Amino acid sequence: MRLLLSFSSGGLFGLGLFLSGMTDTQKVQGWLDIFGAWDPTLAFVMGGAILPMALAWQLTRGRAPLVGGSFPASPRQELDRRLIIGSVLFGIGWGLAGLCPGPAIASLSYGGTGGIIFIAALLIGMMAAPPFAQRLDRAAAST
Amino acid sequence: MNIDWIWGLIGGVLIGTGGAVYLLGNGRIMGASGILGGLIDGSGRNNAAERLAFIAGVVLVPLVMWLTVAEAPDTHLTSNTAVIVAAGLLVGLGTRIANGCTSGHGVCGISRLSLRGLIATVIYILAGGLTLALFRHVWGLI
């Protein structure tokens, strides 16, 4: 049941990315390109996605997940360097190629060689992240 | 009249519904970088099957769509391998350091009124916009 729910969730995510056109880097870069031909599609995707999620967060109140366990704890509110530096690096990469992790995975079957190279580089970047993150944590602790 | 925004909205609602299923069903936050990253660095070893099932869904449904009803979608990804590699490394590194990407911080974070999710989203959109402005319009490289 747990696996079926995961698969369905991934399937809906993939279908949504496919239909919204978010696997097209031109649409994503079009949203970021305020000095070029600006394309607002991504804002509709984000807005459309936030609506059912906001409802879902409301439904978590006083309940437990369907297959047991517990809901994620309330989010931390402090803004640390990891959040800021990581988001800047992500944003630069996102702007360069127009791909973020979800659409990159969703377009794997039809993205061609470039898509596979992107995923390979993405995985290497992910492998390199833990030592970087620890260094940032140590730097924060010493100041 | 451009109807892309309608498809954007429909796709967005499906993405959010996927996130709602993952949250209400399994009690987890649907973040693509977290789900994939946990498999890569071993931090998600105890629920690896769940993560793999999610990724299988993300890959297989668009594949089936492409093979059946839709025409081959164009990704318009640059052919410049150096740009692809640099972008992939930065996205992989950045999303893991920041603990989230467009789905985790943007969709799942903002929808629960998380300040961290909102700030991360604003920062990566600004960084992406600035990158595009410099690389495309100032230096003409992408």
Side-chain angles (χ1 to χ4, degrees), chain A residues 83-102:
Chain A
L83 186 82
I84 294 162
I85 293 172
S87 297
V88 169
L89 295 177
F90 165 39
I92 295 171
W94 194 40
L96 278 178
L99 274 181
C100 52

Side-chain angles (χ1 to χ4, degrees), chain A residues 4 8 12 31 38 46 52 61 76 88 99 101 105-106 108 116 118 122-123 140:
Chain A
L4 191 67
S8 316
L12 283 165
W31 155 259
W38 190 65
M46 276 276 200
R61 290 185 187 188
R76 290 178 296 143
V88 169
L99 274 181
I105 301 170
L108 207 53
I116 294 166
F118 182 86
L122 177 95
L123 296 180

Side-chain angles (χ1 to χ4, degrees), chain B residues 6-25:
Chain B
I6 298 176
W7 284 110
L9 197 62
I10 294 170
V13 168
L14 288 167
I15 292 168
T17 308
V21 168
Y22 209 43
L23 179 68
L24 296 172

